[in-house]
Structures are given as structure tokens and as C-alpha cells.
Amino acid sequence: MSADNTIAFQGELGANSDMACRAVFPDMQTLACYTFDDAFSAVRDGRARLAMIPIDNSVAGRVADIHHLLPNSGLHIIGEHFQRIDHHLLAVKGARIEDLTHVHSHVHALNQCRGIIRELKLEPVVHADTAGAAHMISVRGDKTQGAIASKLAGEIYGLEDLRANIEDAEHNTTRFLIMAKEAIMPPQGEGLVMTSFVFRVQSIPAALYKALGGFATNGINMTKLESYIIDGSFQAAQFYAEVEGHPFDESMKLAFNELRFFTHEVKIMGTYPASSVRAEMG
């Protein structure tokens, strides 16, 4: 496996992250990693050129822990991808829906398929990822145990596809970030670009309001703002933000100057082309 032609993801083969890798980079080899940190390390250590990392889902919200991990990953965001998530109810060969008593999957997938779980009176069992759950039931060979995972996972692990598209919401979509060891700055003025960054505010009244005011007064659209506690202190919060714009644009320069005046530890995680899906959603 050539590292230059490899993209890493968290999960087992057949996970939704694996499917996202194959959708965007069909000619690249995918590298399954146990944790997000392992996927980051694969790129840092030269075992993979890119990493595909989920950041949020239209149903479940943000992916747990990822905002804590991104700033210290040592990688740069170079792209984004929106992946429609189709969940399948899988079981071992010869099993029927009426045989099932339990269903295994990632907590987000279980939450996204509450309707069928309730309809079939199944007991949900949480796993680290969807494909891992599919792999486990294939090894156990128990017809009472089902899994919620992708069609690809069913094919990889030789499972019966009992029902397709079982998610509650038709808009179930996960947004992924494509990450690399080196930043790739897209040309200025050639289409919409996104800039992602993290920062910490000073402990003064209205610091966040003042820090972000420059984006409003300079007409910059902020599409995401997430806060989370760091260093175990309820007094210190770090923010992850995304805005539409290129750092070389005059309006962005002015906004970031104002941001830095009221904050500290501002770190740009990457500037990258906006997905065409954004225009469709807009």
C-alpha cells in the first residue's frame, strides 16, 4: 500500500467514513484506524497522505470529542465533503427480521434509527463504530443479533441486508473534513472558500461579542461556532469557528485583526474550497 495513495479514517472497513473516502477519492486505498488520533498519526507519520474526519451530522449534531482533537492534530484542513448516510439493517446469512432481539451499532446510528428499533422491539447495543458492529455479529454468527451499518459493511462481512434506508430522517447527512500534513491555500477569487479556526477569549465582559464583531461589521458569514471546555476549567473555553472567506480578502484581514485584539491563541486550521453542497443547501 503506497502512503501517497492512502487515506486514513476512524473505524473498521465499511464504516461511513470509509464510504466517504471512497466517494471523494475512488482511486485511493483506505486505511482503517481504531481512533481519531490513530488516523491523525497515520498522516503525521507518513503512512497516509490524507485523513477523512467526520465533524457533524444533520441529525446527531457535532461528533463527540472531535473539536478537542483537531487543534492538536498537527494537520491542516484542505477540503470538506457532505456524505448522505444510508443505514441498513444487517444480520447473518439465513436470519429473518423476526429472529432479531438485539441490534448493534454506533450510538449516533442507533439514535438515527429509533423508529425501526421501536417498531421491531429490538434492544440497542452501543459499539465504537457501525462497521465494527457489523464485523462482530458476522463473527458471532447469532441470528438473533443484528447490526445497523452501511451496505458496504454488509458486503465486506458477508451479511444479509434485511432492510435498507432505515434512518428516521431523509436528510441524514454527515459533514467530513479532509486533512493533510501541509496546508493547501486555494487561489483567492476563484469561488467560495471556507476558513476554519480556533481561539480563546480573554476573561473580560463581552469578550466574545467584541471578538466576533469584526466579522459582522465586515459582512463575513460565520457558518459555525462551537464552544467547549478545556483544561478541566469552567472558566476557560475554546471556540471552533468557520467563516466564508479567504484570509487574503481585505474584509477577512480586518475581521481577524479585531479577533486577535480581543482573544489569544488564534489558530487557523485551514482554508479550503467550499463544497458544492453548500450552494444546494443555501
Side-chain angles (χ1 to χ4, degrees):
M1 182 183 293
S2 168
D4 285 342
N5 196 44
T6 299
I7 181 168
F9 68 93
Q10 184 276 326
E12 294 198 34
L13 291 175
N16 288 306
S17 294
D18 186 13
M19 293 185 67
C21 292
R22 298 175 191 226
V24 182
F25 303 101
D27 296 327
M28 294 186 75
Q29 298 290 320
T30 61
L31 175 64
C33 300
Y34 185 66
T35 67
F36 289 125
D37 272 333
D38 291 337
F40 296 143
S41 294
V43 179
R44 288 197 306 266
D45 300 343
R47 290 178 287 119
R49 181 164 62 88
L50 303 172
M52 182 73 73
I53 304 296
I55 187 168
D56 43 33
N57 176 269
S58 62
V59 176
R62 75 181 184 185
V63 175
D65 296 334
I66 197 61
H67 294 78
H68 291 274
L69 300 173
L70 283 176
N72 299 317
S73 67
L75 304 182
H76 301 268
I77 304 168
I78 64 166
E80 64 175 354
H81 170 64
F82 291 81
Q83 179 81 16
R84 175 71 171 84
I85 304 299
D86 295 319
H87 290 307
H88 292 243
L89 180 61
L90 308 174
V92 299
K93 292 294 185 182
R96 302 167 302 167
I97 284 184
E98 51 266 36
D99 296 328
L100 300 179
T101 59
H102 294 72
V103 62
H104 304 251
S105 198
H106 187 275
V107 63
H108 283 177
L110 294 170
N111 288 338
Q112 292 162 16
C113 301
R114 290 173 178 163
I116 192 169
I117 293 173
R118 183 168 54 249
E119 172 195 335
L120 300 179
K121 297 180 174 60
L122 302 177
E123 183 174 334
V125 183
V126 175
H127 283 251
D129 70 279
T130 56
H135 189 185
M136 187 278 294
I137 69 163
S138 73
V139 172
R140 287 182 58 177
D142 185 342
K143 293 182 179 180
T144 67
Q145 306 299 303
I148 293 174
S150 68
K151 180 181 180 180
L152 177 61
E155 294 170 352
I156 290 174
Y157 302 113
L159 297 172
E160 202 86 63
D161 196 332
L162 298 180
R163 193 177 295 184
N165 305 321
I166 60 172
E167 58 276 4
D168 298 334
E170 293 183 3
H171 61 75
N172 189 13
T173 301
T174 296
R175 176 172 172 257
F176 290 84
L177 299 177
I178 303 163
M179 307 192 72
K181 197 170 184 179
E182 303 294 335
I184 301 176
M185 182 73 73
Q188 187 182 14
E190 295 187 8
L192 180 65
V193 298
M194 306 299 299
T195 296
S196 298
F197 57 96
V198 293
F199 64 94
R200 295 175 64 180
V201 296
Q202 298 176 12
S203 185
I204 58 176
L208 181 61
Y209 173 80
K210 295 173 182 176
L212 299 182
F215 294 97
T217 57
N218 285 283
I220 295 171
N221 185 30
M222 180 168 287
T223 60
K224 176 184 281 293
L225 179 65
E226 297 269 8
S227 66
Y228 47 100
I229 300 298
I230 57 172
D231 300 330
S233 170
F234 287 98
Q235 300 300 315
Q238 184 156 285
F239 293 84
Y240 173 88
E242 295 177 349
V243 295
E244 295 178 352
H246 197 288
F248 295 165
D249 295 341
E250 190 61 30
S251 58
M252 284 278 278
K253 290 179 182 179
L254 293 171
F256 270 96
N257 284 341
E258 194 161 337
L259 174 69
R260 290 188 174 96
F261 185 80
F262 291 104
T263 66
H264 53 101
E265 298 183 28
V266 177
K267 181 179 181 180
I268 293 181
M269 296 296 302
T271 298
Y272 46 95
S275 167
S276 60
V277 173
R278 287 187 179 273
E280 298 170 9
M281 294 187 302

